[in-house]
Amino acid sequence: MKNSIWYEKIHPNFGQYFFIENILHHEQTMFQEIIIFQNNFFGRIMSLDGILQTTEVDEFIYHEMISHVPLVAYGHPKKVLIIGGGDGASLREVTKYKSIEKIIMVEIDEKVVTACCQYLPNHSRDAFSDQRVSLQISDGVNFVNSCRDKFDIIIVDCPDPIGPGVRLFSPEFYRGCYNCLHERGIFVAQNGVFFLQSEYVSNSYSNLIKYFKDVKFFQASVPSYYGGMMIFAWATKNSVWGNLDLKVLKDNYISANLSCRYYNPAIHISSFAMPQYVLDRIDI
């Protein structure tokens, strides 16, 4: 398959393609098709059911933002729940916090974890072996609706609402996450590329606001996610996080002894500024 092409159909009228240097892994699991291949620019790339999920070259942007925005805001989290994120990169970022005592990661497809540990080892960097981590192969919706534990942070590192990812955008799931959060807890989730997938954000807002008092969105630009800025949902039970203070964020960042390639406290603050066409769509 060397020098062949992998296509991602993003819209009925267009898509993007990557040259394949070598296919490293190709598997149909009981949930989805996994392909991991080598590209000479983006490095190793993984797709699920024909949709690009992550690349070695730019994954740090997505994973630093989905992890450090809630974690740095909170300050000294102790218990974190990750739903999805089978490649292990969000887990890698979460394990950097010495204050954290317990991390539960719930991934529906064990085959994704196995394949990524073998073929994308730089994503997790042995984070799965951290003694604070409990990996549970389970359905995320079922987990949050049966869990009696409470978390400081919930990170939903999920694929788009296609296949096994559909239920992770449902009111049932958001209600379960609400019940799993401490009163000061923070929920964040991947919400797609707005310019092409605006319905993801508007639907998430409508469903989240049924349970959470404060719902907003933040963004980052990830080059391999075609179509502009990637949007993340942010939801909390109260207004304590209404105005994030730059000095507090800087202090928390230094206290956590972080070293990031994309995230910093100034990016944190600015990431919550949304273009007007986004605000108009979700009627905030």
Side-chain angles (χ1 to χ4, degrees), residues 38-191:
Q38 181 76 32
N39 173 269
N40 281 341
F41 182 82
F42 281 99
R44 295 185 177 190
I45 297 174
M46 179 176 72
S47 79
L48 298 177
D49 285 339
I51 300 173
L52 185 144
Q53 301 298 311
T54 188
T55 85
E56 282 188 311
V57 168
D58 66 0
E59 61 81 13
F60 69 95
I61 302 172
Y62 172 94
H63 293 109
E64 287 183 6
M65 288 299 284
I66 200 172
S67 303
H68 298 310
V69 168
L71 291 165
V72 171
Y74 195 91
H76 296 86
K78 293 186 177 180
K79 295 172 69 175
V80 177
L81 172 63
I82 302 173
I83 304 291
D87 56 50
S90 291
L91 181 64
R92 175 196 72 212
E93 297 302 312
V94 172
T95 57
K96 292 178 179 179
Y97 290 77
K98 303 305 181 186
S99 66
I100 295 177
E101 300 170 357
K102 181 178 182 180
I103 306 166
I104 295 180
M105 178 173 167
V106 181
E107 166 62 50
I108 196 170
D109 195 343
E110 186 174 18
K111 299 289 188 179
V112 172
V113 177
T114 301
C116 289
C117 284
Q118 181 171 357
Y119 297 103
L120 293 170
N122 287 329
H123 274 55
S124 60
R125 296 181 196 164
D126 295 324
F128 288 105
S129 63
D130 190 301
Q131 293 186 351
R132 298 169 296 172
V133 175
S134 172
L135 173 63
Q136 301 192 25
I137 304 302
S138 180
D139 177 270
V141 180
N142 294 341
F143 178 88
V144 297
N145 282 292
S146 61
C147 181
R148 295 295 175 263
D149 215 343
K150 297 287 186 181
F151 298 90
D152 301 317
I153 307 292
I154 297 178
I155 296 170
V156 185
D157 183 2
C158 60
D160 291 344
I162 300 168
V166 170
R167 296 180 70 209
L168 298 181
F169 289 77
S170 68
E172 177 190 12
F173 177 64
Y174 294 147
R175 182 182 66 243
C177 289
Y178 177 91
N179 292 332
C180 287
L181 269 185
H182 282 302
E183 285 304 308
R184 293 182 68 254
I186 300 171
F187 165 97
V188 297
Q190 184 273 123
N191 246 220

